[in-house]
Every structure is written in structure tokens, then in C-alpha cells.
Amino acid sequence: MNERPELCVWDDEGSLARAVAEYVVRVGSEAIASRGRFDLALAGGSTPKAAYRLLQDGDVGQAIDWSLVRFFFGDERCVAPTDEQSNYKMAKETLLDPLQVRPYAVFRMLGEAEPAEAARAYAETLQHELGVEPVLDLVMLGMGADGHTASLFPGTDPTVEDAALVRAPWVEKLATHRITLTPHVINSARSVVIAVQGTAKADTLAAVLDGPYRPAEYPIQIVAPRDKRLRWFLDRAAAARVVPLK
Ligand code: 6PG
């Protein structure tokens, strides 16, 4: 990787979740103050759930006017929105419904549709809502133990040269298609936050942050937002093998 991005390490999953939630509120408040709205792409998987629950309860989430927030998604599984595997379902239950977010402020990827058509439709949505060159205020990401992020998996050849906005790659290891924002859209965001927790990811995280730049093997290494507003939020378990900065 290029120079080391900013790492924030927290003692445990609970303090990591709170830090992520507070960061989302901080970036969102800045976006609303300067542009009157906050365009946020949510992460899927399990790590963000605790942060989403904190955002919808009083002491963290109250600092932002949620009626000025529009919710997008970083990726989606090719399942119905009611499926337990759906990132939309997870966000709906842990964040969107508790906040009573209006349906018109939520832009989900159509996991139930034919994958290539879902990717095309989402690219159209991004351009309709954000302009021809869509710029999100914040993209929330996680990292898999194989070094994937969003649904940019090893073996799917994600590249920064790909001018597409959304892809629906076949993911061999999962034997399924996924729908995902491309590195182009992620790196066009004003801010990106990656939250990683747990011992299971410590070796991969060390390879991603301290090892050679091999994005074909570790697609998350592609994440490098243009104005360098990338934050890694880690718990001590995940950061255990990362070389401490001098
Ligand atoms: C998904 C996510 C994916 C996730 C990582 C980490 O759809 O699964 O978008 O990129 O962030 O797989 O997942 P966990 O947080 O569950 O470890």
C-alpha cells in the first residue's frame, strides 16, 4: 500500500462500534452543514450492526437530522430483500426502521433481480440521485478474512481503471453473483471508513496494511479515496499483527 492511512484502534467491539457511529454522525453533520444533505452508503455483513443500533438510539444518533440523510448501499447479495442474507434487510432492521426513514430516502440494490440488470439499474439510480459522476459523502466498508470489501472479492479482478459504477461479479468461492459499487465510486467518495474487528482478520489486516500492494489478492487495498479521507477503525484483536507506527 502507499503511505499508511490513518488507523484508529479501540479496545473492544463495543468501543469500536461507538467510534464508528460517532464518526458517521460527524461526517454527516459536516455534509449537512455544507451541502444540506448527507449521502451515505451502508456496509453489509455483521460488523456494522452494533454501530447501526447505536445510531438509532438516543445519545449518538440524536446529533443528526436523519430526514436529511439518503441511504445507499455498498453491495448486496443476490437475494430477495426479505432474505436473511440481505444487507438491505439487516440495515432495515437495525437502522432504517428504528429511525423511521422514509422509503424515498433509501436506495437499495435489487438483489432479487437478474444481477447484470440490478447493476445497471443501480448505476442509473446513482447517476439520477448524485449526478453523472456520483460522489457519496461517506462509504462505510468492512473487510472479509480474505481481504475483500463490499463485494470486491479476490478473483473478480476489481480495478481502479474500471469506469463502471456498479458491477455484478460472479464470486466463485460463494458460487453466486453479488452486486457491488466499483472502486471508481468508492474512491470518488468524500470519505471512506473501514471497520474491522476480531482475531480472525488479524493476519489479513497485517498483509493488507503492511504487506506488498497486491489488490488482486487483497481487493481492499484498492480503496484509496482521492482526497485521502480514509479511516480504518479497528479493535485491538484485529490490529494485533499490524506493525505499530513509529
Ligand atoms: C457483505 C459485506 C462485506 C463485509 C465483509 C465483512 O455483503 O458481506 O459488504 O464486504 O463487509 O464480508 O463482513 P463481517 O462484518 O460480517 O465480518
Side-chain angles (χ1 to χ4, degrees):
M1 282 198 100
N2 313 332
E3 74 282 1
R4 164 78 71 80
E6 183 173 341
L7 308 183
C8 311
V9 183
W10 308 90
D11 284 341
D12 52 41
E13 292 182 10
S15 49
L16 170 63
R18 176 166 290 275
V20 171
E22 289 172 350
Y23 184 69
V24 171
V25 168
R26 178 152 67 86
V27 173
S29 303
E30 285 169 7
I32 290 168
S34 48
R35 287 178 297 281
R37 69 172 198 237
F38 178 30
D39 292 321
L40 168 63
L42 297 174
S46 56
T47 301
K49 288 181 182 176
Y52 293 166
R53 290 193 182 100
L54 283 169
L55 283 172
Q56 51 94 357
D57 83 12
D59 65 338
V60 175
Q62 69 181 2
I64 192 169
D65 179 350
W66 291 104
S67 69
L68 298 175
V69 182
R70 298 192 300 180
F71 296 87
F72 298 83
F73 288 81
D75 74 322
E76 185 55 279
R77 290 80 180 276
C78 290
V79 296
T82 52
D83 188 295
E84 279 312 309
Q85 282 299 310
S86 165
N87 286 335
Y88 165 76
K89 182 176 188 292
M90 181 274 284
K92 186 174 187 297
E93 290 170 352
T94 57
L95 182 66
L96 304 175
D97 284 355
L99 283 177
Q100 298 179 325
V101 174
R102 297 279 182 269
Y104 59 73
V106 181
F107 302 91
R108 72 175 183 90
M109 295 174 168
L110 304 180
E112 69 277 25
E114 191 277 323
E117 174 50 27
R120 189 204 58 73
Y122 206 69
E124 206 169 88
T125 296
L126 289 174
Q127 291 190 313
H128 181 263
E129 297 302 328
L130 300 172
V132 173
E133 273 301 326
V135 176
L136 290 154
D137 291 307
L138 177 63
V139 174
M140 299 178 73
L141 296 172
M143 186 191 81
D146 61 357
H148 82 264
T149 192
S151 283
L152 305 171
F153 281 83
T156 62
D157 193 24
T159 67
V160 290
E161 286 74 33
D162 182 1
L165 302 179
V166 187
R167 287 279 183 208
W170 173 258
V171 183
E172 188 58 36
K173 70 181 286 190
L174 303 177
T176 184
H177 285 277
R178 285 280 192 96
I179 307 158
T180 186
L181 297 184
T182 59
H184 175 71
V185 173
I186 293 170
N187 287 339
S188 298
R190 294 187 176 88
S191 293
V192 177
V193 60
I194 303 174
V196 185
Q197 67 188 24
T199 308
K201 300 191 181 166
D203 287 337
T204 302
L205 194 61
V208 164
L209 293 174
D210 297 326
Y213 183 66
R214 294 196 302 237
E217 188 174 351
Y218 299 111
I220 199 167
Q221 288 184 324
I222 288 178
V223 176
R226 284 174 182 66
D227 65 359
K228 297 195 188 330
R229 279 192 67 178
L230 168 59
R231 298 279 191 293
W232 289 77
F233 279 38
L234 315 170
D235 70 354
R236 284 206 188 291
R241 293 187 179 74
V242 173
V243 173
L245 277 183
K246 302 278 179 289

